Amino acid sequence: MDRGRIAAQPVSWGINYLPGWGRMLDAKKIVDDVKRLGLSAMEYQPGLFPEDAAAARKLFAEAGIRPAAGWIPVALAKAERSEELATFRSSVQFLAELGAPIATIGVAGPSGDFESGVRLTEKEWTHLGAGLDEIRAIAGEVGVEVAVHPHIGTAVESEEDIRRVLGTSSVGFCYDAGHIACAGADPVEVAQLIADRTVHLHLKDVDMGIATRMMNGELGWAQAVGEGMFTALGQGSLDLAQILAAFRAYTGTVVIEQDIRLIEDGSAPMQDPFKNMQVSMAYLESL
């Protein structure tokens, strides 16, 4: 695969805006690592880069790195969502000014910490479908494409949820192999299901032994990530070759994303983000 199509994600370096996640590296360290890896694209992550669009754009430009996408959590499953739409408009305007072409959307729940699932009523699903079309239109006004990111702990995580979105909205998807597997779905089958609606792709690998413990309620989300639920590509349980085969017609960016926590309390081996990325890139390029 052409390295120009491969992008990095700061969560692969342990970056997360959730409180208490772990040690946070600085943006310069991560940008330098991305350049050393020979990559020229990275997603924007809240909590790492400047919150001023001009300053963030300058950081990307000086490093010669293009912003591939940016994450926006938004709650839409209610009739009155004017406040949420206004907040989204501001967030997507930021991405447009940054130069990011894709907004990956977390269909957020009340807590926003991914530890508790979000189950919607029939009426809320109706509101959500309309809300997703609304944010797609808002994003389109500034040239940004919306991609719903099925994510553990949000209103859209399971295959059933994904099918509901397919039937109630025209919005595109950010396919994420890891979150789909950790929600109990077959990531190959879901890849085939949403390939023609996928506008952004997150490639992960998963230690399904740890993921099963999380799905059984033995571990919370953050704890499972800390124990190494997500592995470097080729080191886990997923059939990544079959997943990529479903995306033969996809010509967009492929993001290597390995959620990790840099915790120095001895609870799990300390991760080496740079080495992980080297392993992932070598595996991806071998497929």
Side-chain angles (χ1 to χ4, degrees):
M1 180 177 290
D2 175 11
R3 285 198 177 186
R5 290 184 60 202
I6 302 173
Q9 223 292 342
V11 76
S12 300
W13 281 261
I15 300 301
N16 199 306
Y17 56 85
L18 299 177
W21 187 258
R23 181 161 60 95
M24 296 292 114
L25 304 176
D26 63 68
K28 184 179 185 307
K29 158 67 176 169
I30 296 172
V31 167
D32 287 347
D33 276 359
V34 171
K35 294 299 292 182
R36 286 172 59 206
L37 289 162
L39 298 180
S40 58
M42 180 166 51
E43 289 192 334
Y44 173 84
Q45 178 82 341
L48 174 64
F49 298 106
E51 295 183 1
D52 174 75
R57 186 172 64 248
K58 183 172 184 288
L59 187 153
F60 274 90
E62 288 177 347
I65 294 174
R66 66 178 174 87
W71 166 263
I72 302 178
V74 58
L76 297 168
K78 54 185 180 179
E80 174 46 54
R81 48 188 177 268
S82 57
E83 184 176 342
E84 287 76 15
L85 293 176
T87 300
F88 175 81
R89 186 180 294 276
S90 175
S91 298
V92 81
Q93 179 65 42
F94 173 94
L95 291 184
E97 293 175 7
L98 179 65
I102 303 283
T104 58
I105 304 302
V107 185
S111 66
D113 62 5
F114 311 129
E115 295 293 342
S116 303
V118 183
R119 301 274 62 88
L120 302 182
T121 66
E122 288 298 318
K123 183 173 287 187
E124 287 172 331
W125 273 111
T126 300
H127 297 324
L128 176 59
L132 289 172
D133 286 339
E134 286 171 338
I135 66 168
R136 184 186 183 201
I138 290 170
E141 293 172 5
V142 292
V144 175
E145 191 159 17
V146 161
V148 171
H149 184 332
H151 196 296
I152 293 295
T154 69
V156 180
E157 62 174 20
S158 70
E159 181 175 345
E160 180 184 356
D161 300 334
I162 291 167
R163 288 183 181 275
R164 292 293 294 260
V165 173
L166 284 170
T168 57
S169 171
S170 60
V171 74
F173 280 90
C174 170
Y175 173 88
D176 187 296
H179 283 276
I180 288 166
C182 290
D186 182 325
V188 175
E189 291 182 4
V190 173
Q192 295 165 347
L193 174 67
I194 66 172
D196 62 350
R197 289 270 291 269
T198 295
V199 298
H200 199 57
L201 198 158
H202 282 181
L203 204 60
K204 277 190 174 77
D205 210 342
V206 180
D207 181 326
M208 287 305 297
I210 298 174
T212 299
R213 291 169 61 205
M214 184 199 71
M215 287 187 278
N216 289 342
E218 298 173 39
L219 300 173
W221 166 256
Q223 186 179 1
V225 173
E227 291 197 11
M229 181 166 65
F230 296 114
T231 72
L233 300 186
Q235 305 297 300
S237 310
L238 302 192
D239 189 341
L240 299 177
Q242 285 299 308
I243 289 169
L244 285 176
F247 291 103
R248 285 193 183 95
Y250 174 79
T251 59
T253 299
V254 176
V255 181
I256 296 175
E257 186 182 48
Q258 181 187 355
D259 301 41
I260 66 171
R261 297 176 68 193
L262 298 179
I263 309 171
E264 299 178 274
D265 62 1
S267 60
M270 177 57 70
Q271 298 268 13
D272 183 336
F274 187 81
K275 183 177 180 180
N276 287 349
M277 283 293 294
Q278 286 181 310
V279 172
S280 291
M281 288 176 60
Y283 181 80
L284 180 56
E285 291 176 332
S286 76
L287 292 179

